Amino acid sequence: MHSSSHVAVAPGPLRELVRACLDGLDELVAAFVAELRTMDAYASGLVPWPEVREDAEASFELLLRLTADLPVPDRLGDLCERIGRRRAELGVPLEVLLQAVRLDFRVLWDALLRRVRPEDLPALVHSAVRVWEAVEQHTMRIHLAYLDEAARLAREREHERSHLVGRLLATDARDPQVVAQVATALEVDPAGRFVVAAAAGGAQHPLREAAATLAESGVGVHVQQVDRRSVLIAQLPRGRRAMPSRWLREVHCGLAPVAGSLAAVPRAARIATALAEVAGSPDGERGPLRLAGAWPALVATRLAELGDALATDVLAGVDGVGRHERERLLETVSVYLRCGSVGRVAAELFCHRNTVLNRIRRFAQLTGCDVTRPDQAALALVALACRHASAAVPARRRPLTVRRPGRRCGSRPPAASRRRGPGGPARPARAGSCRGCWGSRCRTGSGRRDRRAGRARRGGTAPPPR
């Protein structure tokens, strides 16, 4: 099973010492157990002492046989894996386990030194590397087995926790026994206060990273998959009534109001998920989206077809004006509804205060909705949110319409063409443009061809002179 790269075959004196130690295994086990009693994890009885003695006796026998190249019986073939898995099941910390296993070398070397004859001491010193390699191989195998078992146990615990939390959310916490089981599995206080957040857009990974950071700091936290969306559940520290801002500062998510108990978590999870749905993908500032900042969008999604009807009813007047004016009015009103200050709107849109006031008055004339009044401002907020929600739904693709020559393109004539001079009628349209439009401003195919031909004739890219 093991062969040293330094000495291929154990020398005769080393084999004699190993056989002497095998005959006195009880002495080695007693010395090893005495050392373990000084460690808190073993002194507390985390591992039963009869089991400790049995494993120690088998370990020393294995190490001695590996050192002297003696046959290893089948019962010792998987000893390292059995010890590693068992210590992981019992919850022995890994660093404590490795410290205990490395004690084997000191106990074993002391036993060899006590039994060696003076004339055999040089041979024993030369063979020290064999003893060390045997102990190191033993330690490595135990370490790997421990890690494998710990990972398996963690997956099982996570699966159990997810199953219990799933039951809590599905039953709406109506069963007190389920609430108690979830509290035990998550190691939280069922009467505590909880933060519930749902990942929005592509923030699944950042939310899990935030949960890992909270877990490292000692916060009771769990991440549950709800309808292919990650939902974080974290218990607030005792005495805190609001979430610390650093917890989810850079995570794009929906954040529900703090749940007053574990039984209130299902309701908070539904709110957080609804907020995450309207949050969409982050397009600027990251961070949690709270209920107070997203209520118009939430109302719009809940109104469904009634929301479309409301948006059409309120905004019908605005829809009847030109595209440019409509965009300006809606932009100004949206910014005003967000900040509530004419001065801030003017600064943000780079226009005069009077321009802002005129647009607000124009919006009121067209819709009958004066956004300077709180009740009508709320109506405008919801109507605009409904319009935005309906625009976000992919519309059915329409067939491509080809504009034919002769059809009006909708462009306006230049000012010079609209004025009549003292000597006659206004200037007619250019040749090659569509009927009823004005050449260089035409947006149809014939108008564009006319402009390109003019630029080619002049040998440059400047527009034709008017």
Side-chain angles (χ1 to χ4, degrees):
M1 178 177 290
H2 172 78
S3 61
S4 173
S5 59
H6 298 274
V7 183
V9 180
L14 180 59
R15 289 201 171 191
E16 292 178 7
L17 288 173
V18 167
R19 294 185 188 280
C21 290
L22 286 173
D23 293 338
L25 278 179
D26 292 341
E27 178 188 344
L28 276 67
V29 171
F32 179 77
V33 171
E35 293 283 354
L36 288 187
R37 290 188 182 277
T38 62
M39 298 183 182
D40 293 338
Y42 284 92
S44 63
L46 189 58
V47 183
W49 286 111
E51 184 177 340
V52 171
R53 292 188 181 89
E54 181 181 351
D55 292 341
E57 182 176 351
S59 296
F60 282 121
E61 182 181 355
L62 175 63
L63 292 173
L64 288 167
R65 289 181 176 277
L66 291 174
T67 300
D69 284 333
L70 297 176
V72 177
D74 293 340
R75 60 183 175 82
L76 300 179
D78 62 342
L79 175 67
C80 305
E81 287 71 24
R82 284 189 278 119
I83 292 176
R85 290 195 296 267
R86 178 61 176 164
R87 297 303 183 268
E89 290 176 1
L90 295 175
V92 178
L94 179 59
E95 60 275 10
V96 174
L97 172 62
L98 296 179
Q99 182 183 358
V101 174
R102 290 194 172 101
L103 283 175
D104 292 345
F105 177 81
R106 189 170 70 186
V107 173
L108 188 56
W109 187 251
D110 289 343
L112 292 171
L113 287 178
R114 285 196 302 271
R115 289 168 173 79
V116 67
R117 296 190 299 268
E119 60 273 17
D120 296 333
L121 185 58
L124 176 61
V125 173
H126 185 68
S127 302
V129 68
R130 299 180 63 89
V131 182
W132 176 255
E133 286 185 349
V135 174
E136 192 63 23
Q137 181 189 16
H138 181 63
T139 304
M140 182 182 65
R141 290 175 60 190
I142 290 177
H143 188 182
L144 293 177
Y146 180 98
L147 293 178
D148 290 343
E149 185 66 14
R152 187 188 67 81
L153 292 174
R155 289 192 299 269
E156 288 184 355
R157 284 194 295 268
E158 185 65 22
H159 179 73
E160 180 183 3
R161 292 170 66 172
S162 298
H163 175 70
L164 289 173
V165 174
R167 287 183 58 194
L168 177 78
L169 299 179
T171 61
D172 204 18
R174 289 187 296 268
D175 189 348
Q177 185 177 359
V178 174
V179 176
Q181 290 175 345
V182 172
T184 302
L186 301 185
E187 299 179 358
V188 297
D189 180 10
R193 303 174 68 83
F194 293 86
V195 170
V196 182
Q204 310 286 335
H205 185 62
L207 187 73
R208 290 189 173 274
E209 286 185 341
T213 302
L214 293 177
E216 290 175 359
S217 61
V219 176
V221 62
H222 174 73
V223 178
Q224 181 78 9
Q225 286 296 119
V226 179
D227 295 333
R228 293 180 295 180
R229 191 183 296 276
S230 297
V231 176
L232 177 143
I233 303 170
Q235 184 175 13
L236 285 173
R238 189 178 300 274
R240 293 297 298 261
R241 302 187 63 85
M243 181 193 74
S245 59
R246 67 180 184 278
W247 279 16
L248 301 173
R249 181 177 299 157
E250 298 297 327
V251 181
H252 189 58
C253 61
L255 181 63
V258 173
S261 65
L262 188 58
V265 164
R267 174 177 174 269
R270 291 193 296 270
I271 296 174
T273 303
L275 286 169
E277 290 175 354
V278 300
S281 300
D283 52 358
E285 194 173 322
R286 291 177 176 267
L289 179 65
R290 302 173 187 269
L291 194 58
W295 68 267
L298 283 177
V299 171
T301 57
R302 295 301 185 270
L303 286 176
E305 62 179 9
L306 292 178
D308 294 339
L310 176 66
T312 302
D313 185 45
V314 173
L315 303 176
V318 178
D319 293 337
V321 302
R323 179 179 62 85
H324 179 74
E325 182 183 5
R326 180 171 64 252
E327 291 176 354
R328 291 293 189 186
L329 291 177
L330 294 180
E331 179 186 32
T332 302
V333 169
S334 298
V335 177
Y336 179 80
L337 290 173
R338 174 165 51 81
C339 65
S341 168
V342 173
R344 290 177 60 183
V345 175
E348 185 170 336
L349 299 182
F350 301 101
C351 61
H352 197 274
R353 288 173 53 91
N354 291 343
T355 302
V356 175
L357 293 173
N358 288 337
R359 291 175 182 175
I360 292 176
R361 282 194 290 267
R362 175 63 170 160
F363 182 84
Q365 292 173 0
L366 293 173
T367 63
C369 187
D370 184 0
V371 295
T372 61
R373 292 177 51 183
D375 58 337
Q376 296 186 19
L379 175 62
L381 264 176
V382 175
L384 291 173
C386 292
R387 173 63 56 84
H388 179 74
S390 62
V393 177
R396 189 174 49 138
R397 192 164 187 171
R398 298 178 180 177
L400 180 64
T401 302
V402 179
R403 190 181 297 275
R404 298 177 180 175
R407 183 175 179 179
R408 289 183 181 270
C409 67
S411 61
R412 297 181 51 142
S417 298
R418 294 196 301 269
R419 293 195 298 268
R420 291 178 178 269
R427 186 178 63 188
R430 296 177 187 272
S433 62
C434 64
R435 183 177 70 250
C437 76
W438 299 88
S440 62
R441 292 196 178 189
C442 177
R443 294 191 293 271
T444 62
S446 58
R448 286 195 297 271
R449 286 193 297 272
D450 181 64
R451 290 195 299 275
R452 285 197 295 269
R455 285 195 294 268
R457 286 193 300 270
R458 291 192 306 273
T461 59
R466 296 179 181 176

